[in-house]
Amino acid sequence: DHFGGASRLLKMFPVREVWTHECARIEAKPEWQDVLATASEKRIAIRDLHRGLVYKENFTFPGEESAFWEIRVLHPDPFVCGETNSESITLRIQGPGGSALFTGDLTVEGEKEILATDIPLQSDIIKLGHHGSKTSSSEAFLEKVHPKIALVSAGKNNRFKHPSKEIVERLKNHHIPMLNTAKVGSITF
């Protein structure tokens, strides 16, 4: 579901790189193969991300001073090919305004792999895994991340009823407020 419209986006916007996991290159789904073909046609670099990679950039926003930002790849483990969602790219972004954890469709199995490392996870913001599905955002993971706010990227009246009632209740129990794109639209921090 995350690459269904990606080929169209590559044609509409100036894109320098497509970030993926090495194992995803062999994904046979026609929509994904179309993304790879479009990237190749447009000479867009395809970068394989895996745990341990760190990108550091200085950005200057209009009217502001230059700011240092770091993007750290927490998951997937290099050279491990498993179930697609469990191997979802997970990024932690740190900057002058705070930190955010982006989990893609990460499942509890992927969360367990990350928790088994010594990677610092505490982040101000977490984008919940798999649209707030009950297959993600475990108690242990939420405790380790200890976010101030949780974001759910879900469509309005989606057929899966994301976020799940279990996750909404779990967030309430941890006193973590939630914003849902299905209710508030685009979210900017």
Side-chain angles (χ1 to χ4, degrees):
D1 58 331
H2 289 280
F3 57 74
S7 183
R8 205 168 22 249
L9 293 173
L10 294 178
K11 293 173 184 173
M12 292 173 58
F13 297 100
V15 175
R16 286 189 289 172
E17 291 186 347
V18 171
W19 290 359
T20 188
H21 178 236
E22 181 179 16
C23 300
R25 287 183 184 253
I26 59 173
E27 176 61 57
K29 292 180 180 173
E31 298 93 348
W32 177 242
Q33 290 304 314
D34 189 38
V35 171
L36 295 177
T38 301
S40 176
E41 175 184 302
K42 294 187 69 64
R43 291 186 163 79
I44 298 170
I46 299 173
R47 184 182 299 257
D48 295 322
L49 299 188
H50 57 80
R51 181 177 299 140
L53 293 176
V54 178
Y55 300 94
K56 296 180 181 187
E57 290 283 338
N58 276 320
F59 291 104
T60 304
F61 296 100
E64 295 183 21
E65 291 184 26
S66 179
F68 171 76
W69 288 82
E70 175 184 274
I71 301 173
R72 186 172 295 273
V73 182
L74 307 184
H75 195 68
D77 197 7
F79 315 113
V80 174
C81 295
E83 191 274 327
T84 308
N85 288 340
S86 294
E87 300 303 321
S88 194
I89 293 172
T90 302
L91 306 172
R92 184 175 184 277
I93 301 174
Q94 175 75 45
S99 56
L101 186 66
F102 295 93
T103 59
D105 271 353
L106 189 68
T107 61
V108 171
E109 290 76 24
E111 292 174 1
K112 286 179 183 175
E113 287 181 40
I114 295 171
L115 288 169
T117 71
D118 60 354
I119 297 171
L121 291 176
Q122 194 288 315
S123 300
D124 300 312
I125 302 166
I126 185 172
K127 197 289 296 171
L128 296 178
H130 210 186
H131 316 281
S133 164
K134 64 183 178 182
T135 62
S136 301
S137 307
S138 66
E139 292 276 351
F141 198 70
L142 288 175
E143 286 173 12
K144 190 79 170 185
V145 176
H146 194 67
K148 295 176 184 171
I149 191 163
L151 309 180
V152 174
S153 176
K156 189 171 187 170
N157 302 320
N158 66 84
R159 67 181 181 194
F160 302 105
K161 302 202 184 320
H162 291 150
S164 76
K165 291 177 182 176
E166 292 170 51
I167 296 303
V168 171
E169 191 62 34
R170 187 171 297 152
L171 293 172
K172 284 180 184 176
N173 291 340
H174 285 270
H175 307 288
I176 303 169
M178 178 187 76
L179 289 175
N180 183 351
T181 59
K183 292 184 178 180
V184 300
S186 295
I187 300 168
T188 304
F189 282 92

